């Protein structure tokens, strides 16, 4: 399957991703893969999976989490949604449903089926944001035990990668308990994003 995907033109690969129905029997609202991809993108944002609002609109990070993420990055909505500059490839492409403490984990089928083939077709990525534990566990297999520990050691992965907590309002307490993130890591992130985008202009 991976070999077959590698032979596809990029546009056809993305079309197949957006038409994917692998998990249709277990998704509460049915499949609606939400990704933003272009071979020219310089920044890659790796989230968890679309929430309900993103599922309804088809626009990634079109919610309060996205507002905070764009603030952390220091970018406008126009820049964030410019696929020529910024790719968005969550660990799960469809809304997985809600459990007792928030959204369920991303379905594993996405990463197993599509992820490596897509990453291999993004040759210009200079900065990857790894948002939350699922992104960090996949992209940093030698990583640390917790999101807090991984994010605290963000400079280990710098400047190619930046692990972050999830920007969800559910994480307001985490941000209050870890003020160093917005005091130290966010300014570095904004500077790096600005540099990468100016190089791509």
């Amino acid at each position: 399957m991976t070999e077959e995907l590698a032979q596809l033109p990029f546009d056809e690969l993305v079309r197949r991703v957006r038409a994917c129905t692998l998990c249709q029997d277990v998704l509460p609202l049915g499949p609606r893969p939400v990704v933003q991809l272009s071979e020219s993108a310089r920044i890659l944002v790796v989230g968890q999976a679309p929430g309900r609002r993103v599922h309804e609109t088809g626009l990634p990070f079109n919610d309060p989490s996205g507002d905070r993420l764009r603030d952390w990055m220091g970018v406008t909505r126009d820049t964030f949604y410019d696929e020529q500059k910024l790719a968005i490839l969550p660990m799960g492409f469809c809304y997985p449903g809600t459990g007792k403490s928030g959204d369920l984990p991303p379905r594993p089928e996405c990463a197993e089926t599509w992820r490596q083939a897509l990453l291999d077709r993004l040759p210009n990525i200079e900065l990857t944001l790894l948002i939350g534990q699922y992104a960090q566990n996949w992209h940093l297999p030698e990583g640390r035990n917790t999101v807090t520990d991984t994010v605290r050691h963000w400079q280990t992965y710098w400047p190619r990668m930046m692990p972050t907590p999830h920007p969800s309002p559910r994480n307001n307490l985490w941000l209050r308990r870890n003020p160093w993130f917005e005091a130290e890591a966010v300014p570095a992130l904004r500077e790096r994003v600005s540099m990468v985008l100016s190089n791509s202009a």
Side-chain angles (χ1 to χ4, degrees):
M1 178 72 164
T2 304
E3 221 171 279
E4 177 196 342
L5 295 178
Q7 304 305 315
L8 292 175
F10 181 75
D11 289 347
E12 173 61 16
L13 176 59
V14 174
R15 187 197 68 76
R16 290 198 188 186
V17 167
R18 290 191 167 130
C20 180
T21 58
L22 278 173
C23 306
Q24 63 182 352
D25 293 339
V26 293
L27 295 171
L29 302 181
R32 186 178 190 180
V34 179
V35 297
Q36 176 175 299
L37 295 165
S38 167
E39 291 173 293
S40 68
R42 299 298 184 97
I43 296 174
L44 173 62
V45 175
V46 181
Q48 179 167 303
R52 181 182 290 267
R53 182 170 169 185
V54 170
H55 174 90
E56 291 168 353
T57 63
L59 197 61
F61 286 101
N62 185 32
D63 53 23
S65 295
D67 294 338
R68 176 177 274 163
L69 176 60
R70 286 182 282 275
D71 180 60
W72 286 350
M73 297 174 69
V75 297
T76 63
R77 283 179 66 92
D78 285 347
T79 297
F80 188 80
Y81 291 118
D82 184 345
E83 67 178 18
Q84 301 301 315
K85 298 177 180 178
L86 194 142
I88 302 173
L89 188 64
M91 294 308 301
F93 302 158
C94 295
Y95 171 60
T98 304
K100 290 181 179 177
S101 58
D103 287 351
L104 293 172
R107 298 292 309 175
E109 292 87 346
C110 291
E112 293 166 1
T113 306
W114 303 109
R115 190 161 200 82
Q116 195 57 56
L118 290 166
L119 291 173
D120 289 345
R121 306 295 281 279
L122 299 174
N124 297 307
I125 298 299
E126 297 179 38
L127 171 64
T128 300
L129 273 67
L130 303 174
I131 300 171
Q133 72 178 77
Y134 298 103
Q136 291 162 19
N137 288 347
W138 198 92
H139 285 265
L140 305 173
E142 77 294 347
R144 301 169 188 276
N145 292 329
T146 66
V147 169
T148 299
D149 201 24
T150 302
V151 176
R152 188 178 292 279
H153 291 87
W154 61 272
Q155 289 170 311
T156 303
Y157 314 104
W158 192 254
R160 300 290 300 181
M161 295 188 178
M162 164 69 94
T164 77
H166 199 284
S168 166
R170 289 175 177 270
N171 266 349
N172 286 345
L173 180 58
W174 188 95
L175 292 168
R176 285 198 296 273
R177 288 176 172 169
N178 297 276
W180 51 268
F181 176 72
E182 291 186 311
E184 301 166 20
V186 166
L189 175 60
R190 286 178 181 156
E191 184 176 349
R192 177 72 175 144
V193 167
S194 176
M195 181 184 302
V196 170
L197 292 177
S198 65
N199 290 341
S200 68

